[in-house]
Amino acid sequence: MNNQIFTKFEGRVIAEGAFSSDTKIFNPKSLLELALQYALVSMSPDEVSKLVGDVSKRMLHSLSCKRRREGEVVRVDQEGDTGLYLISTDRGDPEECVSCGNPLCKEWPTLVELSDEGAATGEFAYHVSECQMQDPGEQDHAALEMIGRSVLASIRAATHPNDAAAHLHTEGGREFLLLDDEFK
Protein backbone atom coordinates (compact mmCIF):
# COMPACT_ATOMS: atom_id res chain seq x y z
CA MET A 1 0.00 0.00 0.00
CA ASN A 2 1.48 3.38 -1.03
CA ASN A 3 -0.57 5.57 1.32
CA GLN A 4 1.64 6.63 4.24
CA ILE A 5 -1.29 8.00 6.26
CA PHE A 6 -2.22 4.51 7.49
CA THR A 7 0.20 2.46 9.55
CA LYS A 8 -2.36 -0.35 9.59
CA PHE A 9 -5.55 -0.74 7.60
CA GLU A 10 -7.59 -3.82 8.47
CA GLY A 11 -11.28 -4.38 8.89
CA ARG A 12 -14.09 -6.86 8.63
CA VAL A 13 -17.19 -5.91 6.69
CA ILE A 14 -20.42 -7.84 7.11
CA ALA A 15 -23.30 -7.07 4.76
CA GLU A 16 -26.53 -9.04 4.69
CA GLY A 17 -29.51 -8.73 2.39
CA ALA A 18 -29.69 -8.67 -1.40
CA PHE A 19 -25.90 -8.52 -1.37
CA SER A 20 -24.19 -10.56 1.35
CA SER A 21 -20.56 -10.43 2.30
CA ASP A 22 -18.31 -11.31 5.21
CA THR A 23 -15.02 -9.92 4.02
CA LYS A 24 -11.73 -8.84 5.51
CA ILE A 25 -10.27 -5.75 3.92
CA PHE A 26 -6.65 -4.60 4.05
CA ASN A 27 -6.59 -1.40 1.99
CA PRO A 28 -8.85 1.53 1.07
CA LYS A 29 -9.33 0.23 -2.48
CA SER A 30 -10.88 -3.07 -1.35
CA LEU A 31 -13.18 -1.21 1.06
CA LEU A 32 -14.33 1.17 -1.67
CA GLU A 33 -14.92 -1.68 -4.14
CA LEU A 34 -17.01 -3.57 -1.59
CA ALA A 35 -19.06 -0.46 -0.82
CA LEU A 36 -19.67 0.18 -4.53
CA GLN A 37 -20.72 -3.44 -5.10
CA TYR A 38 -23.26 -3.15 -2.30
CA ALA A 39 -24.49 0.25 -3.54
CA LEU A 40 -24.95 -1.04 -7.10
CA VAL A 41 -27.16 -3.88 -5.84
CA SER A 42 -29.48 -1.51 -3.98
CA MET A 43 -29.26 1.67 -6.12
CA SER A 44 -29.30 2.57 -9.81
CA PRO A 45 -25.94 3.26 -11.50
CA ASP A 46 -26.91 6.94 -11.86
CA GLU A 47 -27.68 7.20 -8.13
CA VAL A 48 -24.37 5.52 -7.26
CA SER A 49 -22.49 7.82 -9.63
CA LYS A 50 -24.12 10.91 -8.08
CA LEU A 51 -23.42 9.63 -4.57
CA VAL A 52 -19.75 8.98 -5.39
CA GLY A 53 -19.44 12.44 -6.95
CA ASP A 54 -21.09 14.17 -3.98
CA VAL A 55 -19.01 12.31 -1.38
CA SER A 56 -15.79 12.87 -3.34
CA LYS A 57 -16.49 16.60 -3.68
CA ARG A 58 -17.26 16.94 0.04
CA MET A 59 -14.15 14.96 1.05
CA LEU A 60 -11.83 16.87 -1.29
CA HIS A 61 -13.13 20.17 0.08
CA SER A 62 -12.67 18.92 3.63
CA LEU A 63 -9.11 17.76 2.99
CA SER A 64 -8.22 21.14 1.50
CA CYS A 65 -9.75 23.29 4.26
CA LYS A 66 -7.52 24.96 6.85
CA ARG A 67 -7.15 23.84 10.42
CA ARG A 68 -8.20 26.63 12.79
CA ARG A 69 -7.40 27.75 16.35
CA GLU A 70 -9.01 29.71 19.16
CA GLY A 71 -9.13 33.46 18.63
CA GLU A 72 -9.03 33.23 14.84
CA VAL A 73 -11.42 35.39 12.79
CA VAL A 74 -13.25 33.48 10.04
CA ARG A 75 -16.12 33.87 7.57
CA VAL A 76 -18.98 31.41 8.01
CA ASP A 77 -22.10 30.83 5.95
CA GLN A 78 -24.77 30.40 8.64
CA GLU A 79 -28.18 29.59 7.20
CA GLY A 80 -27.56 31.49 3.97
CA ASP A 81 -26.16 34.59 5.66
CA THR A 82 -22.38 34.90 5.40
CA GLY A 83 -20.87 36.60 8.42
CA LEU A 84 -17.64 37.31 10.23
CA TYR A 85 -17.02 35.31 13.41
CA LEU A 86 -14.37 34.91 16.10
CA ILE A 87 -13.59 31.36 17.25
CA SER A 88 -14.30 31.67 20.95
CA THR A 89 -11.78 30.95 23.66
CA ASP A 90 -12.69 29.18 26.88
CA ARG A 91 -15.90 27.70 25.41
CA GLY A 92 -14.71 24.11 25.23
CA ASP A 93 -12.42 22.11 23.04
CA PRO A 94 -13.24 21.33 19.42
CA GLU A 95 -14.59 17.88 18.59
CA GLU A 96 -14.41 15.70 15.51
CA CYS A 97 -16.46 17.06 12.60
CA VAL A 98 -19.61 15.12 11.77
CA SER A 99 -20.23 16.97 8.49
CA CYS A 100 -17.44 15.91 6.16
CA GLY A 101 -15.97 12.70 7.52
CA ASN A 102 -12.38 13.99 7.62
CA PRO A 103 -10.89 12.99 11.00
CA LEU A 104 -8.58 16.04 10.87
CA CYS A 105 -11.52 18.46 10.57
CA LYS A 106 -12.75 19.84 13.89
CA GLU A 107 -16.09 21.25 14.95
CA TRP A 108 -15.75 24.32 17.17
CA PRO A 109 -18.40 24.67 19.91
CA THR A 110 -18.93 28.45 19.85
CA LEU A 111 -18.17 31.32 17.50
CA VAL A 112 -18.89 34.97 18.35
CA GLU A 113 -20.51 37.00 15.56
CA LEU A 114 -18.68 40.22 14.68
CA SER A 115 -20.08 43.38 13.13
CA ASP A 116 -18.61 44.96 10.00
CA GLU A 117 -16.54 47.11 12.38
CA GLY A 118 -15.16 44.07 14.25
CA ALA A 119 -17.21 44.43 17.45
CA ALA A 120 -19.03 41.49 19.04
CA THR A 121 -22.73 41.64 18.19
CA GLY A 122 -23.91 39.46 21.08
CA GLU A 123 -24.98 36.72 18.66
CA PHE A 124 -23.30 33.33 18.37
CA ALA A 125 -22.93 30.41 15.99
CA TYR A 126 -22.71 26.99 17.56
CA HIS A 127 -21.03 23.77 16.42
CA VAL A 128 -19.35 25.08 13.28
CA SER A 129 -16.89 22.82 11.49
CA GLU A 130 -13.65 23.96 9.88
CA CYS A 131 -14.95 22.70 6.53
CA GLN A 132 -17.65 25.41 6.81
CA MET A 133 -15.16 28.23 7.49
CA GLN A 134 -13.30 30.50 5.09
CA ASP A 135 -10.62 33.12 5.60
CA PRO A 136 -11.89 36.70 5.88
CA GLY A 137 -12.04 38.52 2.54
CA GLU A 138 -11.26 42.01 1.28
CA GLN A 139 -14.64 43.21 2.54
CA ASP A 140 -13.45 42.45 6.11
CA HIS A 141 -10.45 44.81 6.04
CA ALA A 142 -12.03 47.45 8.32
CA ALA A 143 -13.17 44.87 10.89
CA LEU A 144 -9.77 43.16 10.99
CA GLU A 145 -8.00 46.52 11.30
CA MET A 146 -10.27 47.52 14.19
CA ILE A 147 -9.71 44.17 15.96
CA GLY A 148 -5.96 44.56 15.52
CA ARG A 149 -6.00 48.08 16.92
CA SER A 150 -8.08 46.93 19.88
CA VAL A 151 -5.68 44.08 20.66
CA LEU A 152 -2.68 46.39 20.30
CA ALA A 153 -4.25 48.97 22.62
CA SER A 154 -5.06 46.27 25.20
CA ILE A 155 -1.51 44.94 25.14
CA ARG A 156 0.01 48.39 25.46
CA ALA A 157 -2.36 49.38 28.26
CA ALA A 158 -1.55 46.19 30.16
CA THR A 159 2.22 46.52 29.75
CA HIS A 160 2.51 50.30 30.10
CA PRO A 161 -0.59 51.61 31.93
CA ASN A 162 0.93 55.06 32.58
CA ASP A 163 2.40 55.48 29.09
CA ALA A 164 -0.81 54.90 27.18
CA ALA A 165 -0.67 58.24 25.42
CA ALA A 166 -3.46 57.86 22.92
CA HIS A 167 -6.19 59.80 21.23
CA LEU A 168 -9.31 58.94 19.26
CA HIS A 169 -9.25 59.57 15.54
CA THR A 170 -12.55 59.72 13.68
CA GLU A 171 -12.62 58.67 10.04
CA GLY A 172 -15.69 57.92 7.94
CA GLY A 173 -17.98 57.75 10.97
CA ARG A 174 -15.72 55.23 12.77
CA GLU A 175 -13.43 55.88 15.70
CA PHE A 176 -9.89 54.50 15.78
CA LEU A 177 -7.65 54.50 18.82
CA LEU A 178 -4.24 55.82 17.72
CA LEU A 179 -1.28 55.36 20.01
CA ASP A 180 1.60 57.83 19.73
CA ASP A 181 4.16 55.25 18.65
CA GLU A 182 1.85 53.20 16.45
CA PHE A 183 3.30 54.28 13.11
CA LYS A 184 6.95 54.77 14.11
Side-chain angles (χ1 to χ4, degrees), residues 118-138:
T121 66
E123 297 294 321
F124 301 91
Y126 299 101
H127 304 286
V128 179
S129 296
E130 293 170 334
C131 59
Q132 299 170 310
M133 299 177 186
Q134 299 90 38
D135 287 334
E138 284 295 319

Side-chain angles (χ1 to χ4, degrees), residues 30-43:
S30 61
L31 179 61
L32 183 58
E33 286 175 350
L34 184 64
L36 287 172
Q37 287 172 355
Y38 182 78
L40 287 167
V41 168
S42 60
M43 300 167 67

Side-chain angles (χ1 to χ4, degrees), residues 4 30 33 46 58 63 85 112 119 121 132 178 183:
Q4 297 300 316
S30 61
E33 286 175 350
D46 289 340
R58 189 177 73 238
L63 291 171
Y85 290 84
V112 177
T121 66
Q132 299 170 310
L178 294 179
F183 296 106

